[in-house]
Amino acid sequence: MGSYKKSFRLYLNLRNYSCLAPRRRVVVTGLGVVSPLGISSEIAWKSLLNGNSGIVALGDEYNTLPCRVAGVVPKQENSHVEKALSKSNLKSMAPATCLALLATQEALSDAKWNPNSDMDKETTGVALGMGMIDLRDVCETNAALQLGYNKVSPFFVPRILPNMAAGHVSIKYGFRGPNHSVSTACATGAHSIGDAYRFIRSGDADVMVCGGAESCISPLAIAGFCRLRALSTSFNDQPSKASRPFDKQRDGFVMGEGAAVLILEEYEHALKRNANLYAEILGYGLSGDASHITTPREDGSGAILSMTRALNDANINKQQITYINAHATSTPVGDNIETTAIKTLFKDHVSKVYVSSTKGAHGHLLGAAGNLEAIFTILACHHHVLPPTINLDNPIDDLNYVANTPLSWVSDRRVALKNSFGFGGTNATLCISSIN
């Protein structure tokens, strides 16, 4: 009994010490992007600031559908994307997994993180998510089954599992820290980053490869979203004008594809190896609308809870926020509800908060949206520049929008919120700041 009491006292002391110990800081040291705006974070960022659009017309197989545009990753012959999507790779992997591996390669190279020791590999984890499986793969496999059982690929099930991007990255690089996958619809990417941030903060890892990938543009997927009346149908002849968040002419979102990967790292760990620091993740908030399968609460309370919890987790007040990278997908209902939430939460300070949605340029990447937009928010903090919402010609209200052209971000400490919301009423908010 005496031995038990001694052990219990030791446990209490350790618990008290951990409560008093300073919280581990989490910084961003590497970025990788495969997107409709280009391949590499630098190219995509420059394209975004130049007001370019990655949304194009789809092929003949979409001619009978109400929506015939999407944000498509450029696939030039002999390019890195073309090689990533080779027949040999697609035999065992979904297209989204191939894109995730390509983005991860860039992010790790950017971070200069190539661990060789067992200890470094065991403290490096992966948190990569996917919102939807490739429906084309399911249709083609079902057609193969009609020809005979032996026509079904043995890789079919591994190809459609949402966690396989994380699995393949872990296997390729030997990372043996947390191996985690999120699938929370359009909030997937932000949740992946937030969960990775918490893994590092709590000591489960020193480095995390995190983000998401999506490649599910197909006639069935487009048809399904059209039946929900979620997609834009009025700009099939002007693809670059179709995605227009916060604009009065918006009529639905535009599907996109791609992958975006971040390397998160414990601050002291990054300093010791003289890593490049892009920004710091200060906080992470989550909430549920508990309301409807596709539509947020009209009062924006789910978004308000998510943003408030991110601020509380970051231990900052709302007056320190000067930019919000909005979820705003270009849907008539969703954009209005998010602006309501922003106005309700920030009250008088809202006039000092800039707001933009980069989806006008690249469309809605579903499970890879929050992470791509988080990278743009990180680069905004790093470069002192606010990215624009293109096609924002007639704003729905008087929020402080960054419309059509970028703006200088003049602030001693640049602190932003990144919102992501998904079907099922799932919400995530990241609080991101410049390095101070």
Side-chain angles (χ1 to χ4, degrees):
M1 181 63 73
S3 176
Y4 169 79
K5 288 182 177 178
K6 184 176 180 180
S7 297
F8 186 67
R9 282 198 301 271
L10 177 61
Y11 160 75
L12 290 176
N13 288 336
L14 288 171
R15 188 185 69 173
N16 291 336
Y17 172 77
S18 67
C19 292
L20 295 172
R23 197 166 81 171
R24 284 159 57 102
R25 294 176 65 184
V26 180
V27 293
V28 183
T29 58
L31 304 172
V33 169
V34 179
S35 80
L37 287 175
I39 317 305
S40 89
S41 60
E42 182 180 1
I43 290 173
W45 175 245
K46 287 181 179 178
S47 185
L48 176 65
L49 296 186
N50 287 335
N52 297 334
S53 171
I55 296 168
V56 298
L58 294 171
D60 292 344
E61 61 183 332
Y62 297 86
N63 283 348
T64 61
L65 300 178
C67 176
R68 300 187 290 278
V69 298
V72 178
V73 171
K75 302 178 182 71
Q76 290 88 2
E77 189 175 352
N78 295 320
S79 68
H80 292 303
V81 173
E82 194 75 14
K83 292 173 184 177
L85 296 172
S86 66
K87 287 184 178 179
S88 59
N89 284 343
L90 291 175
K91 180 180 179 181
S92 60
M93 293 184 285
T97 298
C98 298
L99 299 182
L101 284 165
L102 184 57
T104 298
Q105 181 181 342
E106 183 198 349
L108 289 169
S109 176
D110 187 36
K112 297 180 174 60
W113 183 242
N114 183 27
N116 293 312
S117 71
D118 286 342
M119 179 174 292
D120 283 342
K121 289 182 178 180
E122 288 171 7
T123 56
T124 301
V126 184
L128 288 173
M130 188 183 302
M132 281 179 60
I133 63 171
D134 182 7
L135 298 181
R136 191 189 296 270
D137 195 357
V138 176
C139 292
E140 291 176 353
T141 302
N142 183 64
L145 179 60
Q146 307 313 308
L147 299 176
Y149 162 75
N150 289 332
K151 299 295 184 181
V152 174
S153 168
F155 295 107
F156 170 61
V157 170
R159 276 203 307 259
I160 64 171
L161 292 177
N163 74 310
M164 289 308 288
H168 277 286
V169 168
S170 173
I171 292 165
K172 179 176 180 178
Y173 295 99
F175 296 153
R176 299 179 64 192
N179 188 323
H180 181 60
S181 182
V182 178
S183 186
T184 48
C186 306
T188 295
H191 277 139
S192 297
I193 297 168
D195 290 352
Y197 153 76
R198 286 187 173 175
F199 287 143
I200 295 174
R201 196 179 72 182
S202 64
D204 293 309
D206 290 329
V207 181
M208 288 295 300
V209 179
C210 61
E214 201 78 87
S215 184
C216 60
I217 298 171
S218 69
L220 180 56
I222 294 287
F225 279 114
C226 282
R227 290 292 289 163
L228 278 175
R229 300 190 177 184
L231 296 185
S232 172
T233 60
S234 300
F235 297 90
N236 289 320
D237 296 328
Q238 296 177 290
S240 64
K241 302 292 184 183
S243 184
R244 41 198 321 113
F246 301 123
D247 188 81
K248 288 179 180 178
Q249 284 189 283
R250 72 197 187 285
D251 71 328
F253 76 81
V254 176
M255 280 186 70
E257 64 177 0
V261 172
L262 297 74
I263 308 302
L264 302 190
E265 194 165 344
E266 193 275 324
Y267 177 68
E268 296 294 338
H269 186 278
L271 288 185
K272 285 178 183 177
R273 65 182 195 87
N274 198 30
N276 178 45
L277 309 182
Y278 283 103
E280 182 172 0
I281 309 296
L282 296 181
Y284 173 41
L286 309 85
S287 73
D289 281 322
S291 177
H292 189 269
I293 59 172
T294 60
T295 305
R297 284 183 179 269
E298 289 186 8
D299 60 2
S301 57
I304 293 168
L305 283 171
S306 183
M307 288 188 284
T308 300
R309 288 166 181 169
L311 292 171
N312 292 341
D313 188 48
N315 195 29
I316 64 171
N317 61 60
K318 59 190 177 185
Q319 283 72 31
Q320 292 173 267
I321 300 297
T322 48
Y323 173 58
I324 295 174
N325 186 290
H327 176 67
T329 63
S330 186
T331 60
V333 174
D335 290 11
N336 275 336
I337 292 174
E338 188 169 6
T339 62
T340 296
I342 291 169
K343 291 174 184 176
T344 303
L345 177 60
F346 287 91
K347 296 184 172 64
D348 293 342
H349 180 65
V350 76
S351 62
K352 299 177 182 177
V353 179
Y354 288 100
V355 178
S356 72
S357 169
T358 61
K359 288 186 178 75
H362 51 71
H364 187 9
L365 273 65
L366 308 180
N371 44 311
L372 176 62
E373 294 153 23
I375 285 181
F376 291 145
T377 307
I378 287 160
L379 290 171
C381 290
H382 186 65
H383 291 297
H384 308 244
V385 178
L386 296 170
T389 306
I390 69 168
N391 300 320
L392 181 48
D393 302 322
N394 296 291
I396 56 177
D397 57 25
D398 59 353
L399 278 182
N400 206 6
Y401 294 112
V402 185
N404 295 312
T405 57
L407 294 176
S408 295
W409 191 358
V410 181
S411 180
D412 292 336
R413 188 188 190 194
R414 296 169 298 285
V415 188
L417 293 182
K418 166 63 211 145
N419 285 334
S420 286
F421 313 133
F423 282 179
T426 180
N427 308 306
T429 300
L430 299 167
C431 185
I432 301 167
S433 84
S434 57
I435 299 291
N436 282 74

